[in-house]
Amino acid sequence: NCLKGNSAMNNKDIDIDKFKIYCYNIRGGNMKNKIKNIFKSIGIILLLLCFTSIMFSVFNINLKALSEKEYLLYTVLFELILLIIFIAIYRKTLLKNGKEYFQNFSENFKQSFKYWLVGFIVMATSNIIITFVLKQTIAGNEELVRSYIDISPLLMIFSTVIYAPICEELTFRKSIKDAINNKYIYILTSGLLFGFLHIVSYINTPLDLVYLIPYASLGIVFATLYYKTNNIFSTITIHAMHNALSVLVYLSLGGLS
C-alpha cells in the first residue's frame, strides 16, 4: 500500500532505507488513528447512554420528587444539550454530508427509502410473530415512548424525530464505522449494538431478548445503507421518517385518548 501513488518509486536512485521509514510512519499513523477512533466511538456510546443520568446527578435532582411530566421535561432538556454537543463534535461531517445529500435530495431519499422498506418489512414481520405466536406484548422501549407521548406529544416529537435520529445515527453508524473497517463486522456490530441498547433496560426474562430481532434488523439495514453511501444524512432522514410515522400511527390509533 505504501507503494501506491508514490512518485518516488519512479526514481531509480530511491533511498530504500528512507522509503522503509516512510512506510513505517504511514502504518504507525494509521494505527494511531484507528486506536483514537476506537476510543472515540466508545466515548460517544457511553455519552449517549449516560449523559442524562449524569446531568440528573450533577444538578442533584431528586427523581422521586418529580412527576412524570417534570421528569420528561428535564430529560428532553438534557437531550437538547447532548444534541448540541454531538453537532459540535461532528459539525464538519454534518455540513459536508448535508450539502451533498440535499443537493440531490430526491434521488438520495429514494435510495434511503428502499433500504428502510426492507428493514421495516423484517421489523414488522418479527413484531407480528413476537405478538401473536410468542404471545409477547410490545417492547418495553416502545411502551415507554407511547406513555410519554400521552404525557407530552410535542416533547416526544422532538425526542423521537430530531434528537434520536441525529444522535443515534452519529453514534451507531458514524462513530462505529470510523472504528471498524471490515464491512460485515461493522454492519453486524452497528446493528446489534443499536438493537441491544434499545432493549437492555427492559430485559426481565430470556424471552425478552426476542425484541432484539426487530430493532437489530432495522439497525443492520441502516448500517448497510450508511456503508454504501458514506453519508450520515442517508440514515438520519430515514430514521427520522420512521420515528415520525410511528408517532403518527400511534396517535391516529387512539393515542392520548
Side-chain angles (χ1 to χ4, degrees), residues 62-253:
N62 185 358
L63 297 180
K64 294 181 180 179
L66 299 178
S67 67
E68 285 188 320
K69 189 165 186 177
E70 288 171 335
Y71 174 79
L72 179 59
L73 184 61
Y74 276 115
T75 299
V76 172
L77 175 61
F78 297 149
E79 287 178 347
L80 175 60
I81 296 171
L82 184 58
L83 176 62
I84 293 170
I85 293 172
F86 269 55
I87 290 174
I89 293 172
Y90 289 106
R91 62 191 181 280
K92 292 181 180 179
T93 295
L94 290 168
L95 286 171
K96 181 177 181 292
N97 286 183
K99 183 177 180 180
E100 293 170 352
Y101 187 83
F102 290 103
Q103 276 182 344
N104 193 16
F105 175 76
S106 179
E107 289 301 315
N108 289 328
F109 186 78
K110 284 180 183 178
Q111 182 182 43
S112 297
F113 184 84
K114 290 176 183 177
Y115 275 79
W116 168 80
L117 192 58
V118 173
F120 175 75
I121 291 171
V122 176
M123 187 179 195
T125 303
S126 59
N127 275 326
I128 290 171
I129 294 172
I130 290 168
T131 302
F132 294 102
V133 178
L134 299 179
K135 306 298 182 182
Q136 295 286 97
T137 57
I138 62 172
N141 178 70
E142 181 66 22
E143 190 174 4
L144 183 66
V145 169
R146 290 181 181 184
S147 69
Y148 283 156
I149 291 173
D150 290 337
I151 294 170
S152 180
L154 290 179
L155 289 177
M156 286 308 293
I157 286 172
F158 166 80
S159 182
T160 59
V161 181
I162 299 174
Y163 164 78
I166 295 174
C167 290
E168 289 180 5
E169 291 309 310
L170 288 172
T171 300
F172 296 110
R173 254 54 77 182
K174 169 64 179 169
S175 79
I176 293 178
K177 185 172 182 290
D178 287 344
I180 300 175
N181 286 334
N182 183 276
K183 176 181 178 180
Y184 300 104
I185 295 176
Y186 157 67
I187 289 172
L188 284 175
T189 302
S190 173
L192 291 174
L193 269 179
F194 176 79
F196 184 73
L197 293 177
H198 275 80
I199 70 168
V200 65
S201 299
Y202 311 98
I203 299 175
N204 298 311
T205 69
L207 192 57
D208 289 334
L209 288 171
V210 297
Y211 293 114
L212 180 64
I213 298 171
Y215 283 108
S217 62
L218 200 63
I220 286 171
V221 168
F222 285 167
T224 304
L225 174 61
Y226 181 58
Y227 192 90
K228 179 179 177 63
T229 63
N230 199 34
N231 190 307
I232 198 61
F233 279 94
S234 65
T235 56
I236 287 176
T237 53
I238 210 67
H239 191 159
M241 186 204 76
H242 174 86
N243 286 1
L245 286 175
S246 297
V247 173
L248 289 174
V249 168
Y250 173 66
L251 291 175
S252 67
L253 293 178

Side-chain angles (χ1 to χ4, degrees), residues 12-31:
K12 294 181 180 179
D13 298 325
I14 184 171
D15 188 323
I16 298 299
D17 289 333
K18 287 184 178 180
F19 188 70
K20 285 180 179 179
I21 294 172
Y22 168 77
C23 291
Y24 177 80
N25 289 336
I26 289 179
R27 287 195 296 269
N30 288 339
M31 182 58 68

